[in-house]
Amino acid sequence: MGLLDRLELGIEKAVHGVFSRGSNAQVQPVEIASRLRRVMDNQAISISQGRTLAPNVFEARLGDTDFDRVQQWGQPLAEELCDVAVQHARSQGYTLQGPVRFSFKHDGELKPGAFEVAARSEKGESAAAAPGRPRVPAAPTRQPVHLHPVLEIDGQRYSLNADSIVLGRSSESDIVVDDTGVSRRHVEVRRSQGRFYAVDLGSTNGSYVNGERVDGSAELLDGSVISMGRTRITFRMLPAPLGGSA
């Protein structure tokens, strides 16, 4: 079940039907979640090799009718949206500067069904709400996400501590794969601008990512499976040890 499916089910169980009544021109939770992820991607900034900073504090502005309905649903929805941001940061390998927070604000100029999501990076607590119509309380904060790339092979984990890791049968490879169907230098896992790619090194039997043959290179996301010979390798982005960095 996808993240948005879980979002819909989790919130609907908590407050069934709040967003389903009345006019069809209503803001839906899944729309807010989708906009949230898009804003994170648009505002993500690469600040060093393998380190991309994304915003962690979010505010959705809604018109009269939608804001009134959000007030009925505020806390559960804000909590779910915080989880959406944390999960998206994990899947994309983003670094968050501080705890994730999400709040809602009234904007009387917005029509029903229209909304905006603003985001920023912030280390400390946010400033107090401006005078006027109160905001829906934000969810409890989520801790910053610091993720580290690893490869899982036959139950063992190999940390990717370099920008280039070569896998193959040769003893000179960074990770030796004991498989007769694997070439001496078979595939390279390469980091570029905070993203990871599988690069086939002219192997005899080819390399595959999620069942698709690698033609040059293929991007790796959390959970991607690299196939070479009879060997299956899973790429993971896992929480770094306390005090570590992404």
Side-chain angles (χ1 to χ4, degrees):
M1 181 179 291
L3 181 59
L4 289 182
D5 293 328
R6 294 197 300 274
L7 173 65
E8 286 185 298
L9 288 176
I11 300 176
E12 286 175 5
K13 287 179 181 178
V15 277
H16 179 68
V18 173
F19 277 82
S20 65
R21 296 191 297 270
S23 170
N24 290 329
Q26 297 177 351
V27 175
Q28 301 297 326
V30 173
E31 294 177 303
I32 301 177
S34 179
R35 183 79 58 84
L36 166 63
R37 291 197 302 270
R38 187 160 66 248
V39 167
M40 291 183 73
D41 292 338
N42 290 342
Q43 294 188 208
I45 301 174
S46 179
I47 56 177
S48 64
Q49 185 68 29
R51 186 175 173 84
T52 301
L53 183 67
N56 61 296
V57 178
F58 305 91
E59 179 183 81
R61 295 192 292 272
L62 305 102
D64 298 337
T65 304
D66 288 313
F67 184 82
D68 288 341
R69 285 186 287 108
V70 163
Q71 283 188 301
Q72 301 174 47
W73 204 354
Q75 192 76 5
L77 178 56
E79 290 176 354
E80 292 287 350
L81 290 169
C82 282
D83 287 338
V84 168
V86 170
Q87 293 297 330
H88 189 61
R90 181 177 294 117
S91 69
Q92 298 301 313
Y94 294 151
T95 296
L96 304 182
Q97 217 175 14
V100 174
R101 288 182 288 109
F102 198 103
S103 61
F104 301 91
K105 184 179 181 181
H106 172 248
D107 186 338
E109 296 183 359
L110 292 174
K111 297 179 180 179
F115 69 99
E116 298 176 359
V117 174
R120 66 184 185 276
S121 292
E122 188 176 284
K123 288 183 178 180
E125 295 296 323
S126 63
R133 198 164 183 177
R135 299 182 186 184
V136 175
T141 57
R142 301 296 195 262
Q143 292 305 308
V145 177
H146 298 285
L147 301 173
H148 189 75
V150 301
L151 295 178
E152 295 181 346
I153 310 174
D154 293 333
Q156 294 187 349
R157 287 179 176 172
Y158 298 83
S159 180
L160 301 182
N161 295 317
D163 291 336
S164 173
I165 299 291
V166 174
L167 297 89
R169 255 187 323 112
S170 171
S171 60
E172 297 179 355
S173 297
D174 298 304
I175 299 177
V176 178
V177 179
D178 186 14
D179 183 336
T180 56
V182 170
S183 298
R184 292 177 59 79
R185 287 172 54 88
H186 196 109
V187 71
E188 174 190 9
V189 175
R190 182 182 302 168
R191 172 165 41 196
S192 176
Q193 297 183 343
R195 298 182 181 274
F196 292 84
Y197 301 86
V199 181
D200 186 79
L201 299 177
S203 63
T204 301
N205 297 321
S207 305
Y208 298 81
V209 172
N210 297 330
E212 297 290 332
R213 183 159 186 148
V214 176
D215 182 10
S217 67
E219 186 172 3
L220 299 173
L221 302 176
D222 183 34
S224 292
V225 176
I226 304 170
S227 302
M228 44 194 289
R230 297 183 303 276
T231 302
R232 302 292 179 268
I233 303 164
T234 304
F235 176 82
R236 295 288 189 194
M237 295 295 297
L238 300 178
L242 188 64
S245 60

